[in-house]
Amino acid sequence: MTTHLVSPNTVLANALLRAEDILTPRILATPPERIVLVVGTQINGAPHIGTSLVQSLAFAMAARLRDRFGIPTEVLFSALDNAPFELATDPINGHRYQRAYAQALGVTAVVDFVNALYQPLFTALSRRLGIPHRIETYTQQQAGEHFRRTWLRLLPRLDAARWWLAPSAGTPHLRIPCPHADCGWAEKYAEHTRVHLTDREEATVAAVCLHHGPYRTTVTPTAGAYLDLATLYRNLVKELALTGTAPHGTLHVMVKGGDWIFGSLLVDEALQAVGLTRAQLPARLFCPQVVTDTGAKLSKSLIREGGAPLPEGAADWMLDTRQWPGTVTEYADQLLATAETLLSDPRHFFRSYSAAEIGRLISTPAPRSIPAR
């Protein structure tokens, strides 16, 4: 290959021959009939390089697991359309409110948004490696009967997990958008939001809207209010739901960027607090993080808002991949070539990379060793 990396050894890398060996104990403990790699992204604008890198590594890892263990694999992309679209402050009490992409754009526009910004790359990666994929928005996920039943069944046990989900205040944030037509605003930090489980099949939620004042609504397994959960809370319910409903023999692997390592510690403690054993916790794969010269995560929002400069050696396309100087297929090939390099040695995979170094790797001509399917 034309790219060369020199990576330091680490305790984890020294214990592995291949990066995918991190999942071997889980696969051998209970051999699955299929493996689903789950990768989620907040759809708060055009994807940046960190997002594309994690997504391409999910496909590349799926192919390696399929070839290594002979197990069918697929990628599930969770498009988190509950990301904040706009924020506002109540001038009287200073409470913060938000309206998410789902409420601001509507279902049709969100689907069009995902199809325009994410689907082309997924299609290219899927075709290149022969790995099937599915896309599910958070709106679809929270409307699913099992997800909602999981949340309802969690409520009586939530007190055991609440300090793990919200260590500073002990109140996991639940946002129920205002039901008035064309509104959809919700309390960002749930100061006035109260939940009461009326029976096993229904919960009543009381909240306050920035524009319409107090309101009450219900959540049932098949109907009712939009269930917007803050990040750690959402992951707890999602992973409980996957544990409870996965078809027999399916192993779900949570694929995340390296910045999620610390947050996942809290989610795992919350899962155990509500009754899961260590063996029932989901498998996780943390991908290399793209960082700036200071070691901080490359943040397109900070750079665009003037809170940080574009790192030296980074290009504008790294903040908005639509500016990549080539076709989507060429971009996918370059990402997969980079993924092949990172996965070639555990030392290369379990570490972070500066934006400039990732830019160098992706801009290097792709080798022709990736088989077309």
Side-chain angles (χ1 to χ4, degrees), residues 84-114:
F85 180 83
E86 52 187 334
L87 300 171
T89 301
D90 188 326
I92 297 177
N93 57 31
H95 290 176
R96 298 281 281 168
Y97 289 80
Q98 73 173 51
R99 193 156 70 132
Y101 274 75
Q103 283 71 48
L105 301 184
V107 173
T108 301
V110 165
V111 171
D112 291 343
F113 186 88
V114 173

Side-chain angles (χ1 to χ4, degrees), residues 39-44 47 51 54-55 77-81 83 118 122:
V39 56
T41 300
Q42 282 195 338
I43 56 166
N44 55 351
T51 300
V54 171
Q55 292 166 350
F77 174 59
S78 295
L80 303 175
D81 57 349
Y118 295 93
F122 289 155

Side-chain angles (χ1 to χ4, degrees), residues 265-324:
L265 296 174
L266 294 175
V267 176
D268 285 347
E269 293 289 354
L271 287 166
Q272 292 178 89
V274 300
L276 265 62
T277 65
R278 288 289 301 177
Q280 292 174 310
L281 296 180
R284 302 192 188 280
L285 179 69
F286 298 105
C287 297
Q289 185 176 0
V290 182
V291 300
T292 66
D293 299 339
T294 68
K297 174 185 174 181
L298 180 69
S299 170
K300 62 183 179 183
S301 57
L302 276 180
I303 294 173
R304 289 172 181 170
E305 294 167 4
L310 184 68
E312 184 176 350
D316 289 337
W317 67 263
M318 301 181 78
L319 298 184
D320 183 344
T321 58
R322 293 174 299 180
Q323 298 183 35
W324 166 262

Side-chain angles (χ1 to χ4, degrees), residues 211-233:
H211 302 293
H212 298 101
Y215 61 93
R216 298 175 70 86
T217 186
T218 60
V219 177
T220 72
T222 57
Y226 188 99
L227 192 61
D228 184 3
L229 307 174
T231 304
L232 298 181
Y233 197 178

Side-chain angles (χ1 to χ4, degrees), residues 118-133:
Y118 295 93
Q119 181 66 78
L121 178 60
F122 289 155
T123 298
L125 294 170
S126 183
R127 289 174 177 171
R128 203 74 172 87
L129 296 177
I131 298 295
H133 75 280

Side-chain angles (χ1 to χ4, degrees), residues 36-71:
V36 178
L37 290 92
V38 184
V39 56
T41 300
Q42 282 195 338
I43 56 166
N44 55 351
H48 77 321
I49 184 57
T51 300
S52 294
L53 183 64
V54 171
Q55 292 166 350
S56 61
L57 284 167
F59 278 90
M61 179 59 78
R64 291 172 77 94
L65 292 173
R66 175 199 60 197
D67 297 342
R68 166 94 180 276
F69 295 100
I71 299 173

